[in-house]
Amino acid sequence: MTGSDETPSFRLAYVPGVMPDKWVRIWNERQPDVPLILTQVPAGEVAERLLGGDADAGLVRTPVDRTAFSAIALYTEQTVVVVPKDHLVTAVDEVAPEDLADDIVLHPLDDVLDWETLPGRPALERPAATADAVELVAAGIGVLVVPLSLARLHHRKDLTHRPLTDAPESSVALAWPEDAKTDQVEDFIGIVRGRTVNSTRGRQQPPAGGRSTDAARGDARRKPAAAKSAGAKRTGKSGSGAPKGTRRGKPRRRS
């Protein structure tokens, strides 16, 4: 879908914890006439929103269904355990799963980590959302394992976190419906990949005045030749390099 089929704005969905501010700022600098509309969507709903046409692309958590979406991996997050500030594990720099053997480890229904076996002891019920689980940690009911960005998103003064080793990790990707890659999606791909505005791999914007880059380069190539020709006329030299009005060979003697 390109050209006249494009929407006048670029709609970007993103899941909780993802911070798209830097990319949005670059977009606004490069595309001031195309508003970028941000919508935060729960991780479990973002695929449905994209397929339903509610957004042009999304910053999502992997895995991504590659039968329906194209995706570009962006980064992988550190996994941390969220605990009260007076918890024993705050005495160390990082935590191993066995260090949580005596703790109730909360497992919210919107958990984004792919666990084979959750460490610690299970709670009697699973909290509905990560935000609810954080409240339970603050109440001293258990601990919570999440990606670092979610620990920061739900930060509280009475809680802290430590890196958890040997735990699943969550990766973030840019995804869009496989059959709906617009020029605007291509532009945003260039931004998240760090391409410059003039990168040959991205879409290039024509310079002011509507002239193409190739035409400008052609003018630059022609200018030196034109200057050389003008210089030759000013000095009065012919193509052979000899001054006008002179003859080659020895001068003849006058009688």
Side-chain angles (χ1 to χ4, degrees):
M1 181 166 54
T2 58
S4 60
D5 292 330
E6 290 185 4
T7 58
S9 61
F10 178 56
R11 301 165 300 162
L12 180 67
Y14 68 102
V15 297
V18 174
M19 302 295 289
D21 300 19
K22 176 183 176 181
W23 298 321
V24 172
R25 175 179 56 77
I26 297 173
W27 175 276
N28 291 334
E29 292 173 354
R30 296 184 183 180
Q31 304 279 1
D33 298 328
V34 183
L36 192 156
I37 301 173
L38 280 174
T39 305
Q40 182 171 288
V41 180
E45 299 178 13
V46 66
E48 181 181 352
R49 296 284 190 94
L50 289 172
L51 291 176
D54 295 329
D56 300 304
L59 296 170
V60 306
R61 294 192 181 275
T62 58
V64 176
D65 181 1
R66 290 305 186 116
T67 64
F69 298 99
S70 296
I72 296 172
L74 299 178
Y75 59 88
T76 299
E77 289 195 65
Q78 184 181 57
T79 301
V80 300
V81 55
V82 179
V83 298
K85 282 193 171 181
D86 59 355
H87 196 283
L88 290 176
V89 300
T90 59
V92 297
D93 293 331
E94 62 181 25
V95 182
E98 53 268 25
D99 296 328
L100 304 177
D102 296 330
D103 287 285
I104 292 175
V105 178
L106 301 165
H107 192 199
L109 293 175
D110 63 353
D111 184 22
V112 296
L113 298 174
D114 186 18
W115 291 100
E116 291 186 5
T117 304
L118 198 69
R121 297 184 293 126
L124 294 178
E125 294 182 3
R126 294 183 64 181
T130 298
D132 300 323
V134 171
E135 294 295 326
L136 293 175
V137 175
I141 294 177
V143 301
L144 175 66
V145 179
V146 289
L148 178 58
S149 67
L150 289 179
R152 290 173 172 168
L153 178 65
H154 298 289
H155 172 71
R156 290 175 52 118
K157 292 182 178 180
D158 53 348
L159 301 180
T160 188
H161 55 78
R162 291 290 185 274
L164 181 65
T165 62
D166 301 323
E169 295 177 322
S170 176
S171 296
V172 173
L174 174 67
W176 61 93
E178 193 170 32
D179 58 350
K181 185 179 182 182
T182 66
D183 286 342
Q184 293 167 349
V185 171
E186 183 65 44
D187 289 336
F188 196 75
I189 290 172
I191 289 173
V192 299
R193 283 186 161 174
R195 297 176 191 161
T196 64
V197 68
N198 293 321
S199 171
T200 56
R201 296 184 63 190
R203 290 201 310 129
Q204 296 188 18
Q205 300 298 324
R211 303 185 65 195
S212 68
T213 302
D214 290 340
R217 287 176 180 170
D219 285 350
R221 287 193 295 267
R222 288 192 292 271
K223 284 179 180 179
K228 183 176 179 180
S229 176
K233 291 179 180 179
R234 285 195 299 270
T235 58
K237 292 184 178 181
S238 65
S240 64
K244 289 184 177 179
T246 61
R247 300 176 61 184
R248 293 184 177 276
K250 295 182 180 180
R252 292 182 294 177
R253 294 182 180 179
R254 292 183 180 180
S255 57

